[in-house]
Amino acid sequence: MRSILRTGMTLTVILLLFLAFNLVWIGKIPDARWDLSQQKVHTLSLPAQQLLATLESPVDLYYFNSNNHSKRSYAVKRYGKRIEDLLKEYEKNAKGMINLHVIEPAPFSEDAYKARLSGLDDNAGFLGLIATRAGHGVRRIGSFSLDREPLLEYEISHLLYKLQHPERPVIALLSGLAMDESASRLLKALQHEFDLVNLEPSAAQIPENINTLMVVHPQTFSERTLYGIEQFVLRGGRLMMFIDPLSDQRANAGPVNTRLDELLAAWGIQMSAHTLVFDYLYTPLETQGAPNQARLNLPRQAMNPNDISTWNLNRVTASSSGALTRVSKSRTTFTPLLQSSEQSVLLDAGSFTSAAPFDALIEEAASKEQRHVIAARIEGPTYSVFPDGIQGQPPGLQKATQIHVVVIADTDMLTDKVSDSAPDSNALFVLNTLDNLSVPDRLAAIRPRVAQQMPPTVLENMREAARHAYRSKAGELERRLLRTEQEWQRLTPWATPLGTQAVDTTTQLQALNKERLRLPMELHALQHQAYAQVRRLELVIKLVVTFAIPLTLCLIAWTVFLGQRRRRLQAGNVIH
């Protein structure tokens, strides 16, 4: 009895000590965390921490996450949890300047009403953020997208910065084209988002209070103006420049200043003044073959998804655009923003203004698979192409260790005529880029968290080789199918609203119909032939993965069985 009592008292004391440790001492143990992810996605970057240190007044963050929504996929649920963890990191590093409220709004609840009232998207449940600051309004992120995951830290930091600094950035516009008539919609958007300052095309220097500059068609600028632009970039100014080998407004343009090519070369890029990008895949069907048309509808696949310039963009329309290439041995970084597809080619500008057959223009595009850069971000060291200054002005800055320039090889995308086919998309590309160029260094320094590319596997190399083999043979068939489909649509009789309709047995229509049905079968057979080896390897891998573990377990079991049987036989021999 005494032994049982002693044991009970010992257990009671241990339990009380355990509770006392949890209640008193657990809070004094330092919070140790290890971020083992490849890109340290669970840890705030140094620029983000520096941005939090500049917060002037407390901020309330309301994170709405309908985690149990029926339409939400498992990947989005995981992403929602990652957003919550990152917001908690912001709250922790802000040292009392951020108050985070995590809300899971129930359907038809007061929380759901407030979220809709603030403009959060509810297509697949709420996954948005509302930020408030006393006396300074409200800002929101309507919906976090899994496609923008690499930009998540920038997205949240941008929200906090804009909440602390709601004033509109100052943007200067220096244009060699008459944009008041041709790009009125874009100008209205710029005036709404920024404090827009118009500079004269003959300006010899950029005012000191300007930090962000937008330049359009500088080919006709004087040497004094180009020198002013160069000195602006060398002193740390941010530049967005639109150049064009064949502008729709070229009739109003003057002679081309060749010093612009030298300036671009100093920045590490070049653009041919006589070639345009033709893209068989991204050119609209209604403009293919039409003279004076080189329209490109660039989808999301043609954009850099990890750059702020393409934020929330799904399409950009360009017209008669050139191609940017990196100068060899350049020290600047060349980051493509907009690119053509692999079914594109550079053609002489005269080809688009002549009545040359459409097939002749695209023959080379089908045989060559090369993407061409239409817009790029340039950063890094550069030098002055005016080391002795210019007449009437002494030499200025000679070099810079870091420049920030975005160059677009198209000016027609700014016009209302081109942007009508993609409302707001072209303007959003310009607004995103200018907004990013106008933010302070501590925010612009927040880079996307992009996973490092692993070297391609044997299977990926085989898939790429099969894709090239298919593309090299399928180009002619696809062009024939396109022409046949267009001709058949043109000759097909008008469909009556009656319930029945006679079948047209015209010989030409029947032949076209047979051709348009046969060509997809040939393309399918060609694709099956090109990918035959890939499919065989994929089948082998599936069989190995499926049966490897069962066969291994069977082998282990058989080995154990044989070992036990051998021991039993040896024991029987000893007994006998």
Side-chain angles (χ1 to χ4, degrees), residues 243 269-271 322-326 334 372-376 407-409:
I243 54 179
I269 59 173
Q270 59 186 1
M271 182 195 73
L324 302 175
T325 56
R326 187 174 185 270
F334 181 84
H372 300 283
V373 178
I374 299 173
V407 180
I408 301 92

Side-chain angles (χ1 to χ4, degrees), residues 43-205:
T43 303
L44 288 185
S45 63
L46 181 60
Q49 296 178 24
Q50 294 173 347
L51 180 68
L52 291 177
T54 64
L55 294 180
E56 300 172 356
S57 59
V59 174
D60 286 291
L61 297 181
Y62 299 87
Y63 175 51
F64 291 83
N65 181 13
S66 303
N67 193 53
N68 295 319
H69 196 276
S70 58
K71 295 182 180 180
R72 182 154 297 182
S73 64
Y74 176 71
V76 177
K77 288 182 178 180
R78 288 188 59 187
Y79 185 46
K81 184 62 172 67
R82 192 208 151 183
I83 296 172
E84 181 181 338
D85 293 340
L86 187 60
L87 289 173
K88 290 179 179 178
E89 280 294 301
Y90 273 89
E91 183 183 33
K92 175 184 174 183
N93 285 270
K95 299 179 180 179
M97 299 298 287
I98 290 181
N99 301 313
L100 176 63
H101 310 270
V102 180
I103 303 172
E104 185 171 350
F108 306 104
S109 64
E110 185 71 17
D111 291 331
Y113 171 77
K114 292 179 179 178
R116 291 192 184 95
L117 192 63
S118 298
L120 298 192
D121 188 7
D122 190 23
N123 290 332
F126 294 106
L127 189 64
L129 183 65
I130 298 174
T132 63
R133 178 187 173 204
H136 291 80
V138 180
R139 296 191 72 91
R140 72 170 185 269
I141 297 176
S143 177
F144 290 101
S145 174
L146 191 59
D147 297 335
R148 301 194 306 268
E149 184 176 5
L151 301 174
L152 177 60
E153 189 178 24
Y154 182 91
E155 204 168 0
I156 299 173
S157 300
H158 183 271
L159 174 73
L160 295 173
Y161 173 78
K162 288 297 183 180
L163 190 65
Q164 295 285 329
H165 303 276
E167 63 275 4
R168 297 188 303 174
V170 178
I171 303 294
L173 174 61
L174 182 60
S175 176
L177 301 175
M179 296 184 62
D180 293 337
E181 302 175 358
S182 61
S184 58
R185 185 183 298 113
L186 174 65
L187 289 179
K188 290 180 180 178
L190 292 175
Q191 292 167 356
H192 182 268
E193 295 294 333
F194 307 110
D195 186 2
L196 189 64
V197 177
N198 286 287
L199 302 179
E200 292 296 329
S202 58
Q205 61 181 5

Side-chain angles (χ1 to χ4, degrees), residues 3 85 106 154 370 393 446:
S3 176
D85 293 340
Y154 182 91
Q370 181 180 359
Q393 294 189 25
I446 299 177

Side-chain angles (χ1 to χ4, degrees), residues 217-230:
H217 200 67
Q219 283 93 326
T220 59
F221 287 172
S222 65
E223 189 172 280
R224 292 172 61 87
T225 304
L226 292 180
Y227 179 68
I229 295 174
E230 183 211 60

Side-chain angles (χ1 to χ4, degrees), residues 353-364:
T353 57
S354 65
F358 177 70
D359 293 342
L361 296 179
I362 66 175
E363 188 66 33
E364 189 178 355

